[in-house]
Amino acid sequence: MNGKIIAIANQKGGVGKTTTSVNLAASLVKTRRKVMLIDMDPQGNSTMGSGVDKEHLKVSTYEVLLGFEPIENAILHVEGGYDLVPSNSRLSGAEVELIELDRRERRMRRSLDIIRIITS
Ligand SMILES: Nc1ncnc2c1ncn2[C@@H]1O[C@H](COP(=O)(O)OP(=O)(O)OP(=O)(O)O)[C@@H](O)[C@H]1O
Ligand SMILES: [Mg+2]
């Protein structure tokens, strides 16, 4: 399976990143695509917006980025029909913890490569 990666990022606050992410995920599901939404925001608004309680996450984007858990362990299937890798405030410490790690900017990319292999 090939799959496209769409990143929704903007340094400016309150410009509709979360709204776009959640609605795009739900809309793409309606076109019969398989969708995985990855919440990379410590605010966890996409997680909450997907109907998941961010305060009770066993595995989140944080553990995936730091290499404590494989991404498969973080995936939740949500009501909107897509898969979610959820996030919460644990992620806010990740930036500092990642400084020491090699190739830190490629860690999510590597996790996504693994998902491609598993689902192919
Ligand atoms: N297309 C739109 N038209 C009107 N209002 C919108 C639109 N998209 C988002 N909003 C509203 O704008 C506000 C901010 O949206 P949102 O939370 O998605 O932004 P954000 O970029 O994720 O913010 P943050 O930087 O805090 O994460 C919300 O109240 C949302 O309902
Ligand atoms: Mg947001």
Side-chain angles (χ1 to χ4, degrees):
M1 193 176 86
N2 255 321
K4 230 181 214 164
I5 298 172
I6 303 172
I8 299 165
N10 193 318
Q11 201 165 12
K12 191 168 164 56
V15 292
K17 300 180 290 292
T18 300
T19 308
T20 304
S21 308
V22 172
N23 286 289
L24 189 59
S27 305
L28 289 173
V29 165
K30 297 279 181 211
T31 64
R32 299 177 171 219
R33 288 175 170 89
K34 279 184 81 178
V35 180
M36 187 165 79
L37 176 62
I38 304 175
D39 194 352
M40 298 284 283
D41 184 346
Q43 291 180 107
N45 290 339
S46 296
T47 298
M48 298 284 276
S50 300
V52 172
D53 181 1
K54 66 178 177 183
E55 303 303 337
H56 295 98
L57 302 177
K58 274 171 101 174
V59 183
S60 69
T61 324
Y62 169 78
E63 286 78 15
V64 175
L65 277 178
L66 270 293
F68 299 145
E69 293 278 352
I71 193 166
E72 313 88 90
N73 290 0
I75 298 172
L76 303 171
H77 193 73
V78 303
E79 213 183 307
Y82 52 90
D83 289 330
L84 171 78
V85 177
S87 175
N88 62 20
S89 58
R90 292 205 290 272
L91 187 63
S92 54
E95 210 169 324
V96 178
E97 292 174 60
L98 282 165
I99 288 173
E100 314 238 306
L101 303 179
D102 206 30
R103 293 164 68 86
R104 54 190 172 274
E105 73 286 357
R106 302 191 69 81
R107 290 184 149 242
M108 184 50 76
R109 169 68 181 257
R110 228 167 40 200
S111 291
L112 294 179
D113 286 343
I114 293 166
I115 284 292
R116 281 172 201 263
I117 293 165
I118 292 172
T119 56
S120 66

